């Protein structure tokens, strides 16, 4: 069965310090993995995606994620947090479903708080 | 520019009423999805469609229905709204054979 586990429901960091949001997945297939960000009362914005290309994957706003097959992980990092990074982050695995289609499996989200 | 829109963006209704949330995409995508977002659960799949006249139940489909009469639209209907259906609802679409979905802005539904 396919699943996504975000290991921390809340993460707090000080502005200017590194960010690490952890995601482990379980998939019977070679996965396609995504990170989305959701700012308060906003929709989902794609941060980055991994689809069997080079890793680490670079995304928007200085975020990066590394796919580690041996650890079944896809952790999201940023060298220096900014106040505007405060948001909810979702790790997603896209898995084959039927007839060449795919479905998303979402993690439960990590709320990032950035302290001044 | 192609896009995916949802309406209304906010809705307050009463228990027992029928409610329909609209989703419209202009990408000509075959696949469309409805999710609900609740604290501690992330996004959960309600219904999905892989083409006109095709609809399928997701993991939390009880109390919801969809119909797909054209490529662009997948309306979500709550037959008899319940307080447990207070949530934020997201529509998404994807191309046939693509592993990436594109999301609408969401509809916040409150059932009193």
């Amino acid at each position: 069965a396919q699943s996504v586990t975000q290991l921390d429901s809340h993460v707090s960091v000080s502005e200017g310090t590194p960010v690490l949001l952890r995601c482990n997945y379980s998939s019977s297939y070679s996965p396609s993995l995504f990170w989305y960000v959701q700012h308060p009362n906003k929709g989902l914005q794609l941060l980055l995606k991994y689809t069997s290309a080079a890793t680490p994957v670079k995304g928007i706003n200085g975020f990066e994620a590394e796919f580690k097959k041996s650890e079944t992980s896809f952790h999201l990092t940023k060298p220096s947090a900014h106040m505007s990074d405060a948001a909810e982050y979702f790790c997603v695995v896209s898995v084959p479903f039927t007839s060449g289609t795919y479905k998303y499996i979402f993690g439960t989200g990590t709320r990032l708080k950035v302290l001044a | 520019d192609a896009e995916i829109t949802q309406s209304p963006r906010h809705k307050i209704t009463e228990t027992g009423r029928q409610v329909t949330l609209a989703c419209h995409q202009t990408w000509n995508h075959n696949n469309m999805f409805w999710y609900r977002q609740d604290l501690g659960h992330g996004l959960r799949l309600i219904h999905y469609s892989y083409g006109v006249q095709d609809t399928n139940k997701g993991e939390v489909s009880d109390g919801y229905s969809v119909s797909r009469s054209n490529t662009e639209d997948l309306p979500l209907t709550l037959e008899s709204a319940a307080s447990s259906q207070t949530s934020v609802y997201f529509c998404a679409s994807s191309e046939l054979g693509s592993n990436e979905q594109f999301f609408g802005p969401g509809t916040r539904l409150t059932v009193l």
Side-chain angles (χ1 to χ4, degrees):
Chain A
Q2 283 71 235
S3 65
V4 177
T5 302
Q6 292 185 242
L7 296 161
D8 307 292
S9 58
H10 293 82
V11 170
S12 291
V13 300
S14 297
E15 190 175 22
T17 64
V19 175
L20 170 63
L21 306 183
R22 299 182 296 166
C23 173
N24 285 0
Y25 70 92
S26 171
S27 176
S28 306
Y29 310 92
S30 293
S32 295
L33 295 155
F34 302 78
W35 276 99
Y36 285 86
V37 59
Q38 184 181 33
H39 288 92
N41 299 311
K42 299 291 186 183
L44 294 166
Q45 181 182 18
L46 179 66
L47 268 181
L48 50 80
K49 61 181 178 180
Y50 170 80
T51 53
S52 302
T55 184
V57 180
K58 294 190 184 301
I60 61 171
N61 300 334
F63 283 94
E64 184 176 290
E66 184 156 12
F67 172 68
K68 292 188 176 180
K69 187 175 180 179
S70 60
E71 298 175 12
T72 61
S73 69
F74 189 58
H75 300 336
L76 182 69
T77 60
K78 182 173 181 178
S80 176
H82 192 272
M83 296 298 289
S84 61
D85 294 328
E88 184 101 21
Y89 291 79
F90 292 98
C91 182
V92 177
V93 61
S94 181
V95 297
F97 192 48
T98 60
S99 303
T101 58
Y102 295 80
K103 67 174 181 178
Y104 269 16
I105 298 170
F106 280 83
T108 52
T110 298
R111 185 167 297 275
L112 176 66
K113 186 174 182 179
V114 182
L115 306 171
Chain B
D1 285 345
E3 60 177 354
I4 182 166
T5 57
Q6 294 183 234
S7 61
R9 296 294 312 279
H10 302 270
K11 174 81 176 176
I12 300 174
T13 191
E14 296 176 342
T15 302
R17 290 191 180 266
Q18 183 181 78
V19 176
T20 296
L21 308 182
C23 175
H24 179 81
Q25 52 96 4
T26 58
W27 282 304
N28 203 36
H29 285 170
N30 281 76
N31 307 328
M32 296 184 74
F33 309 83
W34 272 106
Y35 296 89
R36 60 177 289 173
Q37 182 182 21
D38 305 289
L39 268 176
H41 290 280
L43 275 73
R44 292 180 291 175
L45 184 63
I46 305 171
H47 280 285
Y48 58 98
S49 168
Y50 290 138
V52 176
Q53 303 299 332
D54 175 76
T55 61
N56 306 279
K57 293 181 178 181
E59 61 179 306
V60 289
S61 60
D62 287 350
Y64 303 94
S65 63
V66 293
S67 61
R68 187 92 180 268
S69 58
N70 58 53
T71 301
E72 296 80 18
D73 299 289
L74 187 69
L76 177 71
T77 297
L78 287 69
E79 302 293 343
S80 177
S83 57
S84 59
Q85 294 176 308
T86 293
S87 187
V88 180
Y89 292 85
F90 286 97
C91 180
S93 70
S94 69
E95 285 183 285
L96 185 66
S98 172
N99 60 14
E100 182 176 352
Q101 297 178 19
F102 297 85
F103 289 84
T107 293
R108 184 175 295 276
L109 176 68
T110 302
V111 182
L112 301 175

